[in-house]
Amino acid sequence: MTQASGSPYKISVLTGVAIVVANMVGTGVFTSLGFQVMGIQSGFALLMLWAVGGIIALCGALCYGELAAAMPRSGGEYHYLSRIYHPALGFLSGWVSATVGFAAPTAAAALALEQYAGSVWPGLPPKLLAVSVVVGLTAVHALSSRAGSRLQVMITAVKVLVLAGFIGVGLLVASPQPLAFVPQGSADWAQLLSPAFAVSLIFVSYAYSGWNAAVYLTGEVDQPQRNLPRILLMGTALVLVLYVALNFVFLYSTPISALKGQVEVGFVAATTLFGPAGGRLMGGLIAALLVSTISSMIFAGPRIVQVMGEDLPALHFLARRSVAGVPVRAMLFQLVLTLLFVLESSFAQVVVYAGFVLNLFTFLTVLGLFVLRVRQPDLPRPYRAWGYPFTPLLFLLLNGWTLWFIARDKPTETLYGLATLGAGLLVYFLGRRLTRTRPAR
């Protein structure tokens, strides 16, 4: 492999939107409703969960759009936090993204794919499908950014069309459930402030995670200062509409008692709508759709590791690209971590472990928007966050509320997340020390 000066292929707005949509529409929306209905019985409150989660993501996308336009370089939070706060905090965010932010959700999507596929083909060997899909998609993306981009657009388009078709047909054939989707009184509004709503918002936040995926590829986006904010907003808005509509169909068509505690809610709802054969078909389609999610994470994640390697001499070997401009070594690093999660963890363990630290760094990044405006008021900002300061404040308020509930109700997972940060700090300072003691050439 040789070091390329830059990828010869530039990511278009369409590919960028496809990456955002594919990162977001995946594991969470097909799995989390079964957990939410265990604590919330109001149709209005359940749909508001998905609307509030979408508003949080949209506010975040507005803020990230300004940061990406002002500091156009790949790396996402790693790049922003390094410049706004300190290189150590930037390294920690990159460490989290490399070890948890992409490898863990990729593994979770692969495990969910296997669970859905298992409902259609019960004889599948355990873990074989998950491992095969992750390895196969990594091979495609390692060969060429252009081939990976085309694959991403194609499978994301299929995903959106299938979901839109399911929503439309589901509304036509469903037998409506006795569930009200408009507030019936003060009790429905009170549920929006209940602990059950806050805990359920954790699952929804996970389902919306990925709205910031395009910022990790900033250096490869065509005209990033102009196009990146458009990519973030268009992708996030499309997913918000899909999520609310899809969960409406789930609740409108399927008794809450049948959804309660179920992981494969799409399979359960499709079985109610179309019978056992239709349920198996939809289970197979959802398994296929999760391929898009896995693909987008394999595409985006290694770019963070690559940028970290460019900045830190101890990790420089991970910064090298192939002749085609693909960070193959960083991609292989993420592949190894993903396979470890797939082989050693369950779906639920992976999801809960990832939640706290990912939300923490998006919180710090949006907070950095205020810090940067104070410290560098004259920094060129081709795009400014709409609704500032209210949109970032709303994001911080709702995201901070979610973080507090995760820390309070999931102390074990929170401690594992903090331990991951501690390990990252150790790696950072050891790397700095090795760099200082290395003799000059």
Side-chain angles (χ1 to χ4, degrees):
M1 285 185 289
T2 61
Q3 181 75 31
S5 59
S7 174
Y9 177 75
K10 288 296 183 180
I11 295 170
S12 66
V13 171
L14 181 62
T15 299
V17 170
I19 290 169
V20 171
V21 172
N23 260 273
M24 294 174 74
V25 182
T27 317
V29 74
F30 296 127
T31 57
S32 58
L33 184 62
F35 300 103
Q36 294 159 17
V37 298
M38 295 177 72
I40 301 173
Q41 304 296 309
S42 163
F44 166 71
L46 287 165
L47 283 189
M48 282 299 294
L49 265 175
W50 293 93
V52 170
I55 290 169
I56 295 173
L58 273 175
C59 290
L62 288 166
C63 299
Y64 271 57
E66 176 173 326
L67 292 172
M71 298 179 286
R73 186 195 181 197
S74 295
E77 289 93 351
Y78 164 73
H79 175 51
Y80 306 147
L81 297 180
S82 293
R83 283 194 57 178
I84 295 170
Y85 298 106
H86 189 275
L89 189 59
F91 177 86
L92 278 184
S93 70
W95 169 263
V96 166
S97 293
T99 58
V100 178
F102 282 91
T106 302
L111 291 168
L113 180 154
E114 190 169 64
Q115 285 185 299
Y116 268 99
S119 65
V120 185
W121 304 288
L124 278 176
K127 308 287 187 183
L128 177 63
L129 181 62
V131 170
S132 300
V133 169
V134 171
V135 172
L137 289 172
T138 300
V140 171
H141 286 298
L143 289 173
S144 164
S145 291
R146 185 183 298 272
S149 296
R150 288 175 175 171
L151 173 68
Q152 193 61 59
V153 171
M154 180 180 68
I155 57 181
T156 303
V158 171
K159 172 186 280 190
V160 172
L161 289 173
V162 168
L163 291 181
F166 177 80
I167 291 166
V169 175
L171 289 173
L172 288 175
V173 305
S175 298
Q177 299 301 306
L179 198 63
F181 295 101
V182 294
Q184 300 298 299
S186 58
D188 278 346
W189 289 105
Q191 287 209 42
L192 303 188
L193 299 175
S194 68
F197 190 90
V199 172
S200 294
L201 197 57
I202 297 168
F203 291 100
V204 173
S205 296
Y206 179 80
Y208 274 104
S209 64
W211 52 264
N212 56 344
V215 300
Y216 302 116
L217 311 167
T218 302
E220 297 175 56
V221 172
D222 184 37
Q223 301 179 60
Q225 292 177 310
R226 175 175 177 266
N227 289 331
L228 205 56
R230 296 166 62 194
I231 288 170
L232 293 170
L233 291 173
M234 289 167 63
T236 305
L238 176 59
V239 171
L240 190 160
V241 173
L242 279 175
Y243 275 8
V244 173
L246 189 60
N247 281 278
F248 175 79
V249 171
F250 288 160
L251 293 165
Y252 182 74
S253 64
T254 311
I256 281 185
S257 58
L259 295 170
K260 191 175 293 185
Q262 298 296 316
V263 173
E264 296 119 319
V265 291
F267 172 71
V268 173
T271 301
T272 303
L273 284 166
F274 311 119
R280 286 194 297 273
L281 174 62
M282 192 62 195
L285 285 173
I286 292 173
L289 298 182
L290 288 170
V291 172
S292 171
T293 303
I294 297 166
S295 173
S296 64
M297 292 180 183
I298 291 171
F299 193 109
R303 272 66 182 181
I304 304 168
V305 180
Q306 171 214 325
V307 174
M308 291 171 66
E310 291 173 354
D311 293 347
L312 299 169
L315 300 177
H316 187 64
F317 69 99
L318 292 172
R320 294 181 67 83
R321 300 186 187 188
S322 67
V323 175
V326 179
V328 174
R329 293 185 180 182
M331 202 168 280
L332 292 175
F333 174 76
Q334 181 172 307
L335 172 65
V336 171
L337 291 174
T338 301
L339 293 179
L340 285 174
F341 278 116
V342 168
L343 296 173
E344 299 296 332
S345 306
S346 70
F347 168 77
Q349 287 174 318
V350 172
V351 171
V352 173
Y353 168 62
F356 179 80
V357 284
L358 294 180
N359 281 343
L360 175 62
F361 282 105
T362 55
F363 181 94
L364 291 173
T365 303
V366 172
L367 182 64
L369 185 67
F370 292 100
V371 176
L372 197 65
R373 285 214 182 188
V374 171
R375 288 183 178 173
Q376 300 185 45
D378 298 325
L379 180 70
R381 291 174 172 84
Y383 170 82
R384 287 178 176 263
W386 179 86
Y388 180 91
F390 302 106
T391 44
L393 283 174
L394 181 60
F395 179 92
L396 293 173
L397 176 66
L398 294 173
N399 206 340
W401 186 43
T402 304
L403 280 170
W404 183 77
F405 270 98
I406 294 175
R408 192 192 72 170
D409 291 358
K410 305 288 183 182
T412 303
E413 290 80 2
T414 301
L415 288 174
Y416 277 126
L418 294 175
T420 302
L421 298 183
L425 270 180
L426 182 63
V427 170
Y428 174 78
F429 286 113
L430 283 176
R432 297 267 298 184
R433 184 173 181 180
L434 287 172
T435 302
R436 286 197 300 267
T437 57
R438 185 178 296 167
R441 292 182 181 179

